[in-house]
Amino acid sequence: MPQVSRVVAVVVAYNRRELLMEALAALAAQSRTLDAIVVVDNASDDGSGDAVRASFPAVDLVTLERNTGGAGGFAAGMAHALEAHDPTWLWLMDDDTIPTPSAAAELVAAVEAQPEVTIAGSRVIWTDGQDHPMNTPREKPFVSAAEKSAAQAASTLAVRSSSFVSMFVSAAAVRQWGLPVADYFIWNDDFEFSTRLLRSSRGIFVPASVVVHKTKLLGSTDLDPGERFFFEVRNKVWLMRYSRGLKAWEKAMYGASSIRRWIRTIRRSQQRPVLWAGLRRGLAEGGRTRPVSNTDYFADLPAVANAVARVEAARE
């Protein structure tokens, strides 16, 4: 059968050379051949870029001069992929995401069976085979009977958000609704991005598509985050104040859920003073600032800034 969709993988990498090599080998072994693979090297200093050049010369390597975080890496990589490879679908993942051989094929089959879908997420497991709590899907609240039925008929689940740990996203939807907000750096960037696209379209979870998320520990997002807790708090405040992804009632629902999770995280933490400091700083910065534009965020990286500007200028 001819391949209609063009699938381009975008992998964001930072100082995990061995895992990156494993991820690229897994992408090369997909039963559904990918049309291109873009790797964004976020200024790694462990030889990741050289390893890609040596072992995977066909990979399109984008090397950044500073660490722009996961959010910046995906924004830069998606803009480059959209301009250089003309994809139908972008397959987004971190460098510790190892797809099983049929992961791409199952995603393609699922989205092509449901034309209204713009985002599809894989089932994410840990190294021991159990579902990873950090990437557990939740059914879309108040999903319509028609959408629920269509998803079930394709052995999928209707969802309201998705994770950058194997997110399959329509290139047309990105061109229409924009790239991730790079200034988030880490945390909540995929939630903001996916809810923004899915506010007016459909998203699904595809359990037949399986990837392994090789985190050091098995845990959910409330696992003791240390100083990174600041980004969770600041970005959630930014999301509630400025994102177009959530309706008012959704902001109330997800906001209440976030507060409960923050309390639980601090209670369980072995470094409570660090988390309390992150909470105070995150609330303060989230309340008095807003994310800068993507072109401003990449102002010191002209090639990236120009690519991002061109993609976002073409939004419908």
Side-chain angles (χ1 to χ4, degrees), residues 48 56 83 156 168 177 179 222 227 260 289-290:
S48 290
F56 298 95
E83 289 204 318
T156 61
F168 211 58
W177 297 107
L179 298 163
D222 59 3
E227 294 182 354
R260 289 194 298 270
T289 67
R290 64 183 302 158

Side-chain angles (χ1 to χ4, degrees), residues 31 40 88-89 96 108 142 146 203 215 242-243 272 288-289 310:
S31 60
V40 179
T88 312
W89 293 92
D96 60 354
V108 171
F142 309 110
T215 56
Y242 303 115
S243 176
R272 289 183 184 178
R288 70 171 183 265
T289 67
R310 286 190 295 268

Side-chain angles (χ1 to χ4, degrees), residues 261-280:
R261 189 169 60 252
W262 293 349
I263 294 171
R264 183 171 63 245
T265 299
I266 293 173
R267 282 178 175 173
R268 295 176 178 176
S269 176
Q270 299 300 310
Q271 41 186 339
R272 289 183 184 178
V274 173
L275 267 62
W276 277 117
L279 177 67
R280 290 191 296 269

Side-chain angles (χ1 to χ4, degrees), residues 112-129:
E112 291 188 346
Q114 301 178 72
E116 302 88 352
V117 166
T118 59
I119 288 179
S122 299
R123 178 189 173 206
V124 182
I125 62 174
W126 197 49
T127 54
D128 62 357

Side-chain angles (χ1 to χ4, degrees), residues 135-149:
N135 312 110
T136 302
R138 290 182 292 182
E139 186 172 12
K140 181 178 180 179
F142 309 110
V143 61
S144 70
E147 183 176 351
K148 185 173 184 177
S149 176

